[in-house]
Amino acid sequence: MKKEFFESDIGESYVKATLDNGLQIFILEKPLYKSAYAIFGTKYGSIDTAFSVDGVKTEVPEGIAHFLEHKLFESEDGDAFTKFAKTGAYANAFTSFDKTCYLFSCSDNFYENLDILLNFVQSPYFTKETVEKEQGIIGQEIRMYDDSPAWRVMFNMLMSMYHNHPVRIDIAGTVESIAEIDHNLLFRCYNTFYNPSNMFICVAGNVDTDTCLKQIEENIKPSEAIELTRITADEPYNVVESYTEQALEVAQPMFCFGFKEEYKGEISLKEKIITSLLLGIISGEASPLYRELTNKGLINDEFDTEHFCGNGYSALLFEGESKDPKAVAEAIKNEINRLKNEGIDRKLFSAVRAGMYGSAIRLFNNVESIAMQLTECAMSGYGLFDEIKYLKSVTAEDVMKKLGSLDTENTVLSVINPK
């Protein structure tokens, strides 16, 4: 086992350990806290629909990562949720575009709960009958999300933005795609992506690092690393269509306005920070545009922004509710063009950066937030304290350079109108 120790000038420190089989473990102790939070994750999400192992290419149905997450809680000796309930722990799991995570939080019995987590994630149990049953359950979930305005406004936008990239498909897949899944396919994907060399464990809270590492090392099943290559689809620069709308049960229109960016390879943490700063300057709560749109009654407290990025995709998103989404989209474009011509306000830049710095510090007051941020470190390879470091060094010129790359003609406006 290789161990590394990291500490910062804000009084926090953590350990990163790598086992011989490649499993990465991140532990941050909070001895004065009562609770603890643990995540056992794999770098396997909904966009991983084509891959090769040792040179052999495989394509799988959309939604299989999410399907696998559902099935992994089952075992021959009972459901993992039931076991966690007996210890008083809260347990859950989620699948995103690029990862699947299994987690629990508790105030007592941490090591007993950690044992449950380690055991069920490493003990797949799939049969023809249970898979067919799950197809019906997930089919109902997919149909439920088809009627969710917040879900549809996002995925309608993605389908209008991306031609080929699997990020355009619902994380759960489609009713048709999950019908193609069988237990043999689940085992193939499990054995590929649930290899320890592709996985990580993140722990934060009232725990002992050495005890955790010893328990994990003793309970991880032996395995050999595999040569895994993810195959991404060729994606044109331009969007599919610039506008899409749908009618659902909403009180007022909802919108998601996205700027598609050219993907030039893995996006660094520094670029993510610069992009977040830019979004705050364009339409954050301290910006002139936010005040203007609020005063006109065009946005409310639901308005938000996001740098939506991952393997093979990147976009800047503006989301919320509005009586006139087209007017909001036009105002955002106009503000971007104004900032390109006039430059950004240095006081506003300093205020937005200070706000982000404060948020980065406050993250360490919550064990769940710490564990989730450690998960991002495991996924991307950067350190837990790197954001604080980069926030100190990033400049207004960095943000202006990023601003210049935004193409106000390569956008999609997705709207959900009231029925």
Side-chain angles (χ1 to χ4, degrees):
M1 179 193 298
K2 176 187 176 184
K3 289 172 64 175
E4 299 173 87
F5 180 77
F6 300 89
E7 60 182 337
S8 72
D9 55 9
I10 62 172
E12 301 286 351
S13 62
Y14 70 98
V15 167
K16 175 185 175 183
T18 306
L19 300 187
D20 293 341
N21 59 16
L23 177 72
Q24 293 190 331
I25 307 162
F26 301 78
I27 302 174
L28 189 147
E29 294 184 17
K30 300 288 282 188
L32 300 180
Y33 282 54
K34 176 66 176 173
S35 60
Y37 202 98
I39 297 171
F40 196 173
T42 174
K43 301 172 185 177
Y44 177 40
S46 65
I47 65 172
D48 295 311
T49 55
F51 55 90
S52 68
V53 178
D54 298 327
V56 179
K57 182 179 178 181
T58 300
E59 292 189 26
V60 296
E62 294 149 350
I64 195 167
H66 173 260
F67 200 108
L68 188 51
E69 173 222 313
H70 273 234
K71 293 303 300 169
L72 213 53
F73 277 93
E74 294 181 12
S75 67
E76 289 185 273
D77 62 344
D79 183 274
F81 280 117
T82 304
K83 297 176 183 179
F84 279 119
K86 289 179 179 178
T87 67
Y90 163 79
N92 208 343
F94 67 86
T95 303
S96 67
F97 294 107
D98 59 359
K99 60 183 171 290
T100 305
C101 293
Y102 304 86
L103 57 93
F104 73 84
S105 64
C106 64
S107 298
D108 299 293
N109 306 310
F110 173 80
Y111 299 105
E112 182 179 350
N113 288 312
L114 181 58
D115 188 62
I116 296 170
L117 180 69
L118 293 172
N119 183 265
F120 88 82
V121 174
Q122 296 184 91
S123 305
Y125 172 70
F126 316 129
T127 66
K128 182 176 182 293
E129 293 73 22
T130 59
V131 169
E132 289 176 351
K133 178 183 176 183
E134 197 66 38
Q135 284 170 334
I137 294 171
I138 294 180
Q140 290 178 334
E141 182 180 331
I142 291 170
R143 285 186 283 269
M144 178 185 71
Y145 278 109
D146 281 343
D147 293 327
S148 169
W151 197 255
R152 290 302 347 139
V153 74
M154 174 71 168
F155 276 94
N156 290 351
M157 189 278 299
L158 291 176
M159 291 184 71
S160 295
M161 180 173 282
Y162 290 95
H163 296 254
N164 306 314
H165 197 287
V167 75
R168 70 194 301 272
I169 303 299
D170 193 308
I171 289 170
T174 65
V175 174
E176 294 76 21
S177 69
I178 64 168
E180 302 174 28
I181 297 171
D182 60 26
H183 63 291
N184 292 320
L185 201 51
L186 287 174
F187 274 115
R188 187 189 307 174
C189 290
Y190 179 88
N191 291 330
T192 299
F193 290 99
Y194 283 70
N195 185 286
S197 62
N198 192 54
M199 302 185 75
F200 53 86
I201 295 175
C202 302
V203 178
N206 189 354
V207 300
D208 178 76
T209 297
D210 290 336
T211 304
C212 280
L213 291 176
K214 184 174 185 293
Q215 182 175 353
I216 292 169
E217 189 172 31
E218 290 176 349
N219 285 276
I220 292 296
K221 296 179 179 179
S223 65
E224 294 184 6
I226 60 174
E227 177 111 14
L228 171 63
T229 302
R230 301 164 203 271
I231 302 171
T232 56
D234 291 331
E235 178 61 39
Y237 170 67
N238 61 297
V239 301
V240 178
E241 55 185 350
S242 59
Y243 182 76
T244 180
E245 64 179 4
Q246 183 179 0
L248 289 172
E249 297 290 347
V250 292
Q252 68 171 325
M254 299 175 64
F255 69 90
C256 182
F257 183 45
F259 287 70
K260 185 178 183 180
E261 294 194 295
E262 183 180 2
Y263 184 77
K264 299 179 180 179
E266 186 175 348
I267 300 170
S268 68
L269 176 60
K270 185 173 182 179
E271 184 173 352
K272 291 178 182 178
I273 291 170
I274 290 169
T275 305
S276 294
L277 282 165
L278 175 59
L279 287 170
I281 289 166
I282 293 170
S283 61
E285 291 187 12
S287 69
L289 178 62
Y290 186 89
R291 290 194 299 271
E292 176 191 340
L293 294 175
T294 302
N295 291 338
K296 290 180 177 179
L298 288 173
I299 60 172
N300 55 26
D301 291 343
E302 296 297 316
F303 183 76
D304 203 1
T305 61
E306 177 186 357
H307 182 201
F308 177 76
C309 61
N311 184 21
Y313 63 93
S314 180
L316 275 64
L317 307 184
F318 302 80
E319 309 161 88
E321 300 174 345
S322 177
K323 61 186 180 183
D324 191 348
K326 290 182 179 179
V328 175
E330 194 61 28
I332 292 170
K333 285 185 177 182
N334 291 338
E335 179 66 2
I336 289 171
N337 289 328
R338 183 189 72 81
L339 291 170
K340 285 181 178 180
N341 292 326
E342 300 178 9
I344 63 175
D345 185 288
R346 298 306 171 108
K347 288 184 178 179
L348 178 57
F349 166 79
S350 297
V352 173
R353 184 173 63 173
M356 286 182 60
Y357 188 85
S359 296
I361 298 296
R362 287 193 297 274
L363 173 147
F364 292 94
N365 293 331
N366 182 279
V367 294
E368 178 180 355
S369 298
I370 296 169
M372 289 297 180
Q373 196 63 30
L374 285 171
T375 296
E376 293 306 311
C377 294
M379 290 294 299
S380 63
Y382 60 74
L384 186 61
F385 309 125
D386 288 354
E387 181 178 1
I388 295 171
K389 177 182 70 176
Y390 284 128
L391 276 169
K392 291 179 179 179
S393 62
V394 71
T395 66
E397 285 70 30
D398 293 327
V399 178
M400 276 300 298
K401 184 178 179 181
K402 177 66 181 180
L403 175 67
S405 71
L406 291 189
D407 184 351
T408 54
E409 300 305 315
N410 202 37
T411 62
V412 175
L413 175 61
S414 170
V415 177
I416 300 295
N417 286 312
K419 277 190 175 179

